[in-house]
Amino acid sequence: MHSHFLSHFFLFFFLVPLLCLLLLSFPHTVHCQCSKRPPVIFNFGDSNSDTGGLAAGLGFPINSPNGRIFFHRSTGRFSDGRLLIDLLCQSLNTSFVSPYLDSLGGSKFTNGANFAVAGSATLPKFVPFSLTIQLMQFLHYKARTLELVTAGSGNLINDEGFRNALYMIDIGQNDLADSFSKNLTYVQVVKRIPSIITEIKNAINTLYNQGGRNFWIHNTGPFGCLPQKLSLVQNKDLDPYGCISSYNSAARVFNEGLHHLCIEMRSELKDANVVYVDIYSIKYDLIANATKYGFSSPLMACCGFGGPPYNYNIKVTCGNPGSQACDDGSKFISWDGIHHTEAANTIIASKVLSTAYSTPRTTFDFFCRS
């Protein structure tokens, strides 16, 4: 009897809370509640959130082993599996947001559209697929959709749907990285940051003037920790974790400007919700505490060529002849030297969903919950 009681005590006071904690650590089980309306998401960005735009828009080959887990085929994502945006969608129990440029996907875009395309930046303004071009595509898409709704087409997003949607922006990393790759000095790169912030401000204002009220803004990650950058840059100034200090410093300056912009937008735009998400801290923590998260080589690509320390060769990139992929991507943060593995994205998503990195602290379902 006594042992029976103890086993029940152990079960309810130790195992059950432990299981709950474990479940909460996986983002696909942290289902938010879109109780009031089905979620609609419009995303603008670069390869961090490109779910097939580059492949569809330019026919750019993104070969196997990209997509080898979860999808079991290449979907145009730069990863072995799901991206952060996919995992955020799953937390709302909605389907993945389809690439706007994918003409064969069969999507009616009933839960939004993804305008993000790999390689995109804010500047120059009119080079595909810059943030400005993505905004122009959205404006065209919205006008045409509302035309069809007026003409009697059912099941498409109506005016209220556009108004209540979430507008996600995750861009700026390429602006900074491209500036460094053109041999600009740190001071010159930092001088360009206000112009990048202005473009993001213009985008938020455009969407607000179109009726958008819910904004979810990701800052940029520590791109000085990317195996690609580490393999290409000579005379590196490395921090204690082996990342390029000047690159990460520029990212932090950009993030500070973006944070200030979000504060400014919150006071300027009546009735707008502007959430700033600190992706930098989440990703840098993964590098700094890699072993805690079960990652063995935080600065080495799973898929690439050349072996340690970075396994990145610009002439033999992942998916191209000669490249090789590691057996177990779950031990790696970097998938291809630039983008993350699904294992890393899963941890990033769980941290984003925790609200601990959002200002103001806001659950991801805020736009469809009430």
Side-chain angles (χ1 to χ4, degrees):
M1 183 70 181
H2 187 62
S3 63
H4 187 66
F5 170 78
L6 279 177
S7 64
H8 271 73
F9 182 88
F10 178 78
L11 179 68
F12 284 103
F13 291 93
F14 178 74
L15 273 185
V16 171
L18 180 65
L19 279 170
C20 289
L21 278 171
L22 283 170
L23 282 170
L24 284 169
S25 71
F26 293 103
H28 58 277
T29 60
V30 186
H31 290 305
C32 304
Q33 296 298 311
C34 280
S35 48
K36 190 158 184 189
R37 62 182 76 87
V40 173
I41 297 171
F42 295 105
N43 182 65
F44 305 87
D46 52 31
S47 59
N48 289 311
S49 58
D50 180 352
T51 54
L54 184 68
L58 295 181
F60 188 88
I62 301 165
N63 304 321
S64 166
N66 286 289
R68 71 180 182 178
I69 61 171
F70 191 80
F71 300 104
H72 305 295
R73 65 182 183 87
S74 176
T75 59
R77 289 166 172 80
F78 289 90
S79 180
D80 56 345
R82 290 165 292 181
L83 308 183
L84 171 58
I85 187 173
D86 297 318
L87 296 158
L88 293 178
C89 284
Q90 284 187 308
S91 78
L92 299 176
N93 256 340
T94 189
S95 54
F96 299 138
V97 183
S98 299
Y100 173 67
L101 292 166
D102 188 1
S103 55
L104 291 172
S107 177
K108 296 277 190 212
F109 302 107
T110 51
N111 68 325
N114 189 2
F115 297 89
V117 175
S120 296
T122 66
L123 296 165
K125 278 170 83 93
F126 297 107
V127 172
F129 288 91
S130 69
L131 182 58
T132 297
I133 299 279
Q134 291 180 31
L135 259 291
M136 288 164 67
Q137 289 177 315
F138 168 77
L139 295 174
H140 170 79
Y141 158 82
K142 184 189 174 198
R144 183 72 184 120
T145 299
L146 294 179
E147 263 178 25
L148 292 168
V149 168
T150 305
S153 289
N155 216 20
L156 293 173
I157 298 168
N158 59 16
D159 204 39
E160 187 189 3
F162 282 103
R163 207 164 44 248
N164 293 323
L166 183 67
Y167 294 88
M168 295 176 70
I169 299 176
D170 184 341
I171 204 162
Q173 182 175 315
N174 288 322
D175 288 277
L176 299 172
D178 292 350
S179 298
F180 277 114
S181 69
K182 288 171 183 158
N183 288 326
L184 267 66
T185 64
Y186 172 78
V187 172
Q188 288 171 319
V189 173
V190 167
K191 274 187 180 166
R192 298 180 82 163
I193 288 173
S195 309
I196 305 167
I197 301 292
T198 297
E199 291 306 313
I200 296 171
K201 179 179 183 175
N202 292 344
I204 294 171
N205 276 322
T206 298
L207 293 167
Y208 179 85
N209 291 335
Q210 286 288 316
R213 291 296 179 268
N214 302 310
F215 301 94
W216 187 268
I217 315 294
H218 287 178
N219 74 9
T220 205
F223 67 97
C225 300
L226 299 179
Q228 179 216 35
K229 305 298 174 211
L230 289 162
S231 75
L232 293 175
V233 177
Q234 306 302 313
N235 308 316
K236 300 182 278 284
D237 51 322
L238 300 180
D239 72 8
Y241 299 106
C243 304
I244 304 170
S245 300
S246 57
Y247 284 28
N248 284 352
S249 178
R252 289 193 300 272
V253 174
F254 168 80
N255 291 341
E256 199 178 318
L258 189 64
H259 192 195
H260 282 295
L261 171 68
C262 290
I263 294 167
E264 182 189 321
M265 294 280 92
R266 248 175 257 134
S267 62
E268 271 183 30
L269 305 179
K270 189 175 175 289
D271 302 329
N273 300 299
V274 184
V275 183
Y276 169 84
V277 187
D278 187 7
I279 297 294
Y280 182 99
S281 292
I282 297 173
K283 288 185 175 178
Y284 195 70
D285 174 52
L286 276 190
I287 303 284
N289 299 296
T291 48
K292 182 180 102 176
Y293 295 107
F295 298 117
S296 51
S297 306
L299 302 178
M300 190 162 120
C302 162
C303 181
F305 180 79
Y310 307 124
N311 195 37
Y312 184 88
N313 184 317
I314 197 165
K315 294 176 180 158
V316 192
T317 53
C318 182
N320 288 306
S323 67
Q324 288 184 316
C326 65
D327 292 332
D328 185 2
S330 69
K331 297 281 188 288
F332 287 77
I333 293 171
S334 178
W335 166 241
D336 57 5
I338 307 169
H339 311 99
H340 289 69
T341 58
E342 180 175 287
N345 286 332
T346 301
I347 296 168
I348 294 163
S350 69
K351 301 248 183 196
V352 170
L353 290 167
S354 77
T355 75
Y357 296 86
S358 303
T359 308
R361 284 192 72 151
T362 313
T363 56
F364 185 62
D365 62 355
F366 79 93
F367 67 102
C368 56
R369 189 184 63 235
S370 54

